[in-house]
Amino acid sequence: MIRRSLFTGLGLVAASALALTGCASPAAAPAAAEGAVDAATATSVEDFGSFEALEEAAKAEGALNVIALPRDWANYGEILDLFASKYPEIAINEQSPDVSSAEEIEAAETNKGLDIAPDVFDLGLAVALQSTDHFAPYQVQTWDEIPDALKEPTGLFVGDYGGYMSVGYDSSKFPEITALDDLLAPEFKGSVALNGDPTQAGAAFAGVGLATLQSGGDLDDFQPGIDFFEKLNDAGNFLKLDVTPATIASGETPVVFDWDYLNAVHTADNENWEVVVFDDLGYAGYYNQAINKDAPHPAAARLWQEFLYSDEAQNLWLKGGARPVRMDAMTEAGTIDADLAAALPATPAETLVPTEEQSTAAGELLGAEWAAAVK
């Protein structure tokens, strides 16, 4: 706001990974012509008969509701604008861009059956695992080029773009950060923030994961990471403030745990902003795309997924500093933007990604222990 792809960089270790407001009316999908596919049950383009038929069905719906997509997050602004230019017949309703993954699911529950309900989700793994009953399975045309470890087998949720958890900081105000425990020093009083609540937000969850690894723990048990933030809080260094580009620009959050591609964008406004990905042991993760099973615009939701996994959109993730999930396949095919790929920072010596089981266990532990640890 990561010259190998993230998945290649992970090696065999990665193979283990994987309130809306306003007036609303009941959702009313356009009536399907006799013999036409029911978009809400389509699991691939084949169900529509062709990609062109999917496009026409989405254009007939005329809208797409997205949620939790900040325009400065991994180049989402350019991605949204490209979709809009390709399909001007489909109005994109950008709702609540700064809410957490958990709040996306809450919005779907609150607005179920209404035309303002989100059509699609962008979620951290922990929330995705807890929310599969909200998703419709769908496999995009490039399905076979997505690593098996980064997709739910039926397409309920699928990894799309990823990065490494990092620490960003204003080097004009603080000494060089070379180790996690540096943040416990008095110089960092009231200065160290997470990007969200780790019981709800994927970036914050990963921040605790990184602290776990850098504290000598492993991803089977996030307790060392929780203990680190408890020590950080007891030292008076933990800053309980939601991180936004504005809080970083103003200096309110001068030290931030966040994904490297989100931290990196702040160097454009602050030449002293440094981004640290600890080079010994890294925590990596992907955000996942999913379709709301009760999407008011089910064809548009599926077209959006097809677009996100196209070469065009995958290269736009790369332009935003994130690592697209199809990077290996696109590199082999020669469709990756080679200059952007070459500009990515080096990967840590060893990288870990939580498995589904580890993410679920960590989410349960955080739910039970986090509030008391940082009270």
Side-chain angles (χ1 to χ4, degrees):
M1 143 317 17
I2 76 196
R3 129 110 41 184
R4 302 173 295 176
S5 75
L6 178 58
F7 187 73
T8 301
L10 302 183
L12 293 177
V13 177
S16 64
L18 210 127
L20 308 180
T21 58
C23 298
S25 59
E34 184 177 354
V37 67
D38 178 3
T41 64
T43 59
S44 70
V45 161
E46 284 71 24
D47 288 334
F48 290 91
S50 68
F51 182 68
E52 291 73 22
L54 168 59
E55 291 180 310
E56 289 308 310
K59 292 175 184 177
E61 290 175 349
L64 173 71
N65 298 341
V66 301
I67 186 171
L69 305 185
R71 286 182 153 264
D72 54 4
W73 178 288
N75 204 26
Y76 251 126
E78 191 168 353
I79 289 169
L80 287 161
D81 290 344
L82 179 58
F83 184 86
S85 69
K86 287 174 69 72
Y87 301 109
E89 306 89 346
I90 303 173
I92 303 177
N93 303 312
E94 299 178 44
Q95 303 165 332
S96 304
D98 296 318
V99 299
S100 67
S101 293
E103 289 169 318
E104 293 181 57
I105 302 301
E106 291 173 9
E109 293 172 344
T110 300
N111 296 284
K112 181 178 179 179
L114 301 178
D115 60 8
I116 61 170
D119 288 307
V120 289
F121 305 110
D122 177 295
L123 304 161
L125 180 59
V127 173
L129 288 168
Q130 297 166 5
S131 309
T132 54
D133 57 344
H134 290 280
F135 307 152
Y138 187 80
Q139 297 184 4
V140 294
Q141 295 177 97
T142 52
W143 176 261
D144 290 343
E145 297 181 358
I146 301 168
D148 289 343
L150 298 174
K151 59 189 179 188
E152 193 279 331
T154 69
L156 284 174
F157 60 88
V158 186
D160 193 7
Y161 61 93
Y164 286 91
M165 183 47 48
S166 67
V167 177
Y169 70 103
D170 189 334
S171 64
S172 69
K173 298 179 179 179
F174 302 99
E176 182 181 8
I177 297 172
T178 60
L180 185 74
D181 283 349
D182 292 347
L183 301 176
L184 298 172
E187 295 94 325
F188 293 91
K189 179 77 74 175
S191 299
V192 184
L194 279 169
N195 186 358
D197 180 334
T199 66
Q200 299 188 42
F205 178 95
V208 180
L210 176 64
T212 294
L213 297 180
Q214 289 290 323
S215 297
D218 59 52
L219 298 184
D220 287 327
D221 182 6
F222 269 39
Q223 192 61 53
I226 295 173
D227 292 343
F228 170 79
F229 278 97
E230 183 172 20
K231 288 191 291 184
L232 193 73
N233 189 59
D234 290 345
N237 294 7
F238 186 41
L239 179 59
K240 301 169 189 174
L241 184 66
D242 287 341
V243 176
T244 67
T247 65
I248 292 176
S250 67
E252 293 176 88
T253 54
V255 184
V256 176
F257 279 82
D258 209 346
W259 297 111
D260 59 345
Y261 51 88
L262 299 182
N263 261 326
V265 300
H266 303 303
T267 59
D269 298 320
N270 183 351
E271 64 181 9
N272 297 309
W273 190 259
E274 298 286 343
V275 183
V276 178
V277 176
F278 298 117
D279 58 13
D280 57 340
L281 186 59
Y283 181 107
Y286 279 84
Y287 278 84
N288 298 271
Q289 304 294 341
I291 295 172
N292 183 359
K293 71 176 184 181
D294 299 308
H297 311 104
R302 285 154 176 80
L303 182 61
W304 173 249
Q305 300 301 296
E306 294 286 356
F307 170 73
L308 291 179
Y309 291 92
S310 69
D311 288 351
E312 286 178 299
Q314 293 280 291
N315 273 318
L316 289 179
W317 295 129
L318 192 59
K319 186 176 180 180
R323 299 180 186 262
V325 75
R326 292 181 52 238
M327 189 166 181
D328 283 351
M330 290 173 62
T331 300
E332 184 175 349
T335 57
I336 200 75
D337 188 313
D339 291 337
L340 292 175
L344 294 173
T347 60
E350 182 179 1
T351 303
L352 296 177
V353 177
T355 65
E356 293 186 11
E357 293 78 9
Q358 289 170 332
S359 291
T360 298
E364 292 172 352
L365 181 65
L366 284 163
E369 302 292 338
W370 178 254
V374 297
K375 62 179 184 297

